[in-house]
Amino acid sequence: MPRSYLKSDEARDAAEMKYLLASKIRRRKEEIHNYILERRAEIHKRIRYRRHLFLNYRSTRTMPSPDEEDMQNHVPILADPDWWERVVMTEFGPEDWLDKFHVTRDIFLLLSAKLKPQLEQVYIEQSGQTITLERCIAMALMRLSTSTEYCFLSELFGVPIPAVCQCVREVCEAIILLLKPLYMQLPADHELEEHAEQFRTLWGFPHCIGVIDSLHIPVKSLPTDTQDCWNQRGWHSVVLQGVVNAHGTFWDVCSGFTGSMDDMTILQSSELWTMAEQGGFCSQPPKELMGQPLGFLLLGDVGYSLQTWLLKCYPPLSNLTPQQQTFNAQLNHGLKVIENAFQRLKARWQCLHNRNDSNVDLVSKMAVACCILHNICNVHNSPFKEEWVEALSQNECPQPTDVPTVYIDDPNAEAVRSLLCSYIEQQQQSKTLDPSPTSCPVLPVPESPQMDSAGTA
């Protein structure tokens, strides 16, 4: 056989061997990479679990909670049988009402009048006891505002622990049923433009009707809990999604999601997503911005994907243009309205801040009820004490950090963001040319306009 044929066969064999080796090396690298990812995920899972055990152990030592057997066998100790009728209703001053219930006496009486059609009195089947509406609302408000334990409320009001639990649940359900239509409504078509103008005036962002974000509510773990309740910080939580207007008032909330769900998954599971995708944020005819038709917008953080109706900042890359950096700064400024709203919500209603020992279903209803009560306090200018905010600093359960979403952005949304970027740049140039002072929003969020008891402006 000629030598040239032998050389060609050797070259072909060498090429095949090189290809086989390269394939094996590539497959081996993929196997190693997948194994590292699996091990890393397992390690993080164990870290979250051990952190959860530690936090749970510390909370059980500092704040022991009665188990079901204690609740059934507990006999209330009546320290003062007339505490409610004689002390609270006759001797409490304005500061006493704020300290014990975080609301004024006027708001308490308003709640009593509004909830009376649903709860004239609460009948406890287990004990055959009837509890007045006012006493029931008082127990619920104290539970929501100060996160007081059920056993203490039982002794304070002279009712069994199961009765306290039932009162809290029924009051929350009544607030959602009767007061949500009055104090938390989706903006009507004729109100969208008003919302957008308020946001442009207060926060410098046009066509925006709200800001969206999520709040993790700490809950105590139960034997039946699954790993789905663990969030990125390693503690069990129930997630509340909220949307606020320019004044920090909620106009849409949904709750009950597990702590492991990301913000975008929660949004896509809510009615808000369906409404927005069906054009619920587009006026007819659409309003224009810089000569271009543009619907109304929501602002969100990096946990959401970019949509034609939901804007977020440009990714923090080193090659951002000055215009994009200005856009990011303006959008982040607008996000402060919901950050402050969540802070005031947790400060006044501390059941959303402290580790809640109620079941997940009740925690979800408590969260929605607290948002409605937050709106009522805003509407009626209920005093807010800064010392409530100081209590938030003692936090064993810090909120999970925002994680960039893995969902694909809407390909048509970048044009909307570019249009807003150009508008904000133009506004900045106008301010530079016009040295006259401009108003700038100062936290806390401006109070809502005065409204009557029916919730109308």
Side-chain angles (χ1 to χ4, degrees), residues 189-258:
D189 293 341
H190 66 279
E191 297 175 327
L192 292 175
E193 187 173 355
E194 180 182 353
H195 277 58
E197 180 60 25
Q198 291 175 354
F199 207 95
R200 185 195 65 80
T201 302
L202 295 174
W203 300 98
F205 220 96
H207 279 244
C208 179
I209 58 175
V211 184
I212 185 172
D213 202 358
S214 296
L215 176 69
H216 286 255
I217 303 168
V219 294
K220 290 189 176 180
S221 61
L222 301 174
T224 56
D225 283 345
T226 64
Q227 297 180 359
D228 291 338
C229 291
W230 281 340
N231 57 38
Q232 297 172 357
R233 290 281 189 173
W235 45 273
H236 284 74
S237 63
V238 172
V239 185
L240 166 74
Q241 175 185 276
V243 184
V244 299
N245 62 13
H247 297 283
T249 301
F250 292 94
W251 57 261
D252 183 77
V253 296
C254 58
S255 182
F257 304 96
T258 58

Side-chain angles (χ1 to χ4, degrees), residues 338-407:
I338 196 166
E339 295 174 5
N340 190 71
F342 276 148
Q343 183 187 56
R344 293 170 69 90
L345 176 73
K346 293 188 298 179
R348 189 186 293 270
W349 308 108
Q350 295 181 7
C351 68
L352 307 180
H353 167 68
N354 298 319
R355 198 179 292 271
N356 200 316
D357 58 357
S358 302
N359 61 63
V360 173
D361 175 64
L362 180 55
V363 172
S364 301
K365 294 179 179 179
M366 293 168 71
V368 177
C370 288
C371 291
I372 299 170
L373 293 171
H374 168 90
N375 288 359
I376 295 175
C377 291
N378 282 356
V379 166
H380 297 281
N381 295 322
S382 178
F384 183 87
K385 304 181 71 171
E386 293 301 326
E387 64 187 52
W388 299 339
V389 179
E390 297 175 2
L392 301 182
S393 60
Q394 303 174 358
N395 189 4
E396 297 180 355
C397 302
Q399 288 290 308
T401 55
D402 297 326
V403 178
T405 179
V406 296
Y407 292 86

